[in-house]
Amino acid sequence: MKRIVTVVAVTLLWSLPAMAETYSWTDRSGTVNFSDDYYSVPKQYRKKVRRLGDIDAQPAAADSGKGAGAGQQAALPEAGKGGAGEDSANDQYGGKKAEIWQQEFKGRYAEVKQLEKELLELEELVKKPVGISRERIQGLPQEFRATQKRYNDAVKAYNELNDAANKVGLPAEYRK
């Protein structure tokens, strides 16, 4: 039994540094931004940046290291803030009504937030694997990586939606 626990602990510890980190911060306008490269975070926000995919998920220090790959940034709106009036909801942007854009943004935002919540729950299980089966403990690193990939894909999809909205001139009030 001790060997199994030791092997699982070593496996978890060995696999954690290989996991990609995602950094998030909120800018002056209240927009939540994401990047997988610490050095792409503007200097004024580095002290308050939050690491996702890290066990502690605490603000990152200036020497926290570099993430892998090119930076991803998403301008996620704060949930539950205002909306657009009914008259302008019938406007067309890129062949889609403004309300359709708004529904798409809400769906993408909800997906990103749900996956972020799942990542935090998995981090807690990695830190304290109490009351779960051996098989689940052994599968936690793989489950975490799979969830993190889904999270990164969701952020990418949100970014692509935001880019498309920028191209057609969708006003900011429909991105909430």
Side-chain angles (χ1 to χ4, degrees):
M1 180 67 179
K2 286 183 182 181
R3 281 188 185 184
I4 291 173
V5 172
T6 303
V7 169
V8 169
V10 169
T11 303
L12 287 174
L13 290 174
W14 175 73
S15 66
L16 289 177
M19 293 182 203
E21 293 181 339
T22 302
Y23 301 92
S24 70
W25 70 97
T26 304
D27 62 19
R28 289 184 186 151
S29 65
T31 302
V32 179
N33 299 280
F34 295 90
S35 175
D36 61 355
D37 182 8
Y38 178 79
Y39 294 98
S40 69
V41 177
K43 288 183 181 180
Q44 68 264 31
Y45 301 113
R46 287 185 184 169
K47 290 182 181 177
K48 295 181 181 180
V49 74
R50 182 170 175 220
R51 287 188 301 192
L52 303 172
D54 182 45
I55 294 301
D56 295 330
Q58 296 297 320
D63 60 280
S64 66
K66 298 178 184 176
Q72 290 181 344
Q73 292 187 344
L76 294 177
E78 294 298 319
K81 285 189 178 180
E86 278 182 35
D87 295 338
S88 59
N90 293 325
D91 293 343
Q92 295 276 328
Y93 297 94
K96 286 195 273 189
K97 289 186 176 184
E99 61 192 15
I100 301 299
W101 282 101
Q102 195 169 33
Q103 289 172 358
E104 287 182 34
F105 270 98
K106 283 181 182 178
R108 298 281 185 202
Y109 180 82
E111 180 182 15
V112 168
K113 294 313 268 180
Q114 177 60 37
L115 289 168
E116 187 175 293
K117 181 181 172 186
E118 288 177 29
L119 279 173
L120 293 173
E121 289 171 358
L122 285 170
E123 288 173 354
E124 287 300 314
L125 282 176
V126 168
K127 286 188 334 188
K128 297 179 185 176
V130 178
I132 58 176
S133 69
R134 286 185 206 156
E135 293 82 17
R136 178 87 193 273
I137 291 172
Q138 292 171 344
L140 280 177
Q142 183 179 359
E143 185 177 350
F144 185 89
R145 284 189 297 272
T147 304
Q148 192 167 42
K149 183 184 180 325
R150 288 182 17 236
Y151 172 81
N152 289 336
D153 291 345
V155 169
K156 182 179 177 185
Y158 186 93
N159 287 337
E160 289 170 355
L161 179 64
N162 199 37
D163 289 345
N166 286 338
K167 286 179 184 176
V168 298
L170 183 72
E173 67 258 17
Y174 296 112
R175 301 178 197 206
K176 298 178 180 173

